[in-house]
Amino acid sequence: MKFSLLFIMAASFIACRSSTAQQTSQGVKGQVFWFEGNFMPGPGQSNKGRPVQRDILIYEVTSMDEATKENQLYNEIPSRLIKTVITDKNGKFSTDLPPGTYSIFTKEKEGLFANVFDGEGHINPVTIKAGEITEIIININYKAVY
């Protein structure tokens, strides 16, 4: 009986250590929000989107000249896909990534979405530094009017 109890305690300790080790210690974390409809300023208008579950696709940093875009969505990204992460029902996600700069997209029914660019024409660039977590907010707003 003592051996069984000791075994269960040891297994619990190892399981706790394993889940702690899997927490993101270097990479990106964030939240995704969906915006659709009229967001023009006015009485009673809310400027808040709602959290949404999506696939997050993380590519090597990609420039606007390299990617193919139709309407407001990308349909071809020539850069290497590094990782895919799924948000939870509250739109939250986190993942480990090595240091570097990446382009982050959400997967929509008709293509990939990103609406942030830097001065060098990179699509939704996110830079990961050694030992740091980069936090981002993704606002999917291609069906919103401002």
Side-chain angles (χ1 to χ4, degrees):
M1 182 66 118
K2 284 183 180 180
F3 179 75
S4 297
L5 184 57
L6 208 66
F7 177 77
I8 291 171
M9 287 175 55
S12 296
F13 176 74
I14 290 169
C16 287
R17 287 190 74 207
S18 297
S19 65
T20 303
Q22 292 178 10
Q23 290 179 348
T24 302
S25 60
Q26 172 184 293
V28 63
K29 75 176 187 175
Q31 192 168 14
V32 179
F33 294 93
W34 174 256
F35 292 80
E36 184 174 1
N38 182 3
F39 286 87
M40 297 291 284
Q45 285 292 77
S46 168
N47 290 330
K48 296 182 180 179
R50 64 178 172 79
V52 66
Q53 189 170 30
R54 284 290 189 279
D55 288 356
I56 305 296
L57 283 73
I58 304 170
Y59 285 85
E60 290 177 333
V61 69
T62 306
S63 71
M64 292 186 294
D65 328 354
E66 299 171 322
T68 305
K69 188 175 184 180
E70 228 176 274
N71 298 320
Q72 297 179 17
L73 299 174
Y74 293 91
N75 54 22
E76 190 176 326
I77 308 297
S79 303
R80 185 170 60 102
L81 177 64
I82 303 297
K83 190 178 268 194
T84 301
V85 181
I86 301 172
T87 67
D88 67 15
K89 65 181 180 177
N90 297 313
K92 294 183 178 182
F93 69 96
S94 69
T95 189
D96 289 322
L97 286 169
T101 302
Y102 303 90
S103 288
I104 297 184
F105 298 85
T106 62
K107 184 175 182 182
E108 304 301 310
K109 288 180 184 173
E110 301 85 20
L112 301 179
F113 176 77
N115 65 344
V116 176
F117 309 92
D118 67 10
E120 298 175 20
H122 295 129
I123 303 168
N124 201 13
V126 176
T127 299
I128 308 302
K129 296 180 181 175
E132 293 184 16
I133 303 291
T134 301
E135 292 189 42
I136 64 170
I137 298 291
I138 299 173
N139 292 323
I140 306 172
N141 59 6
Y142 65 96
K143 291 197 175 186
V145 178
Y146 295 93

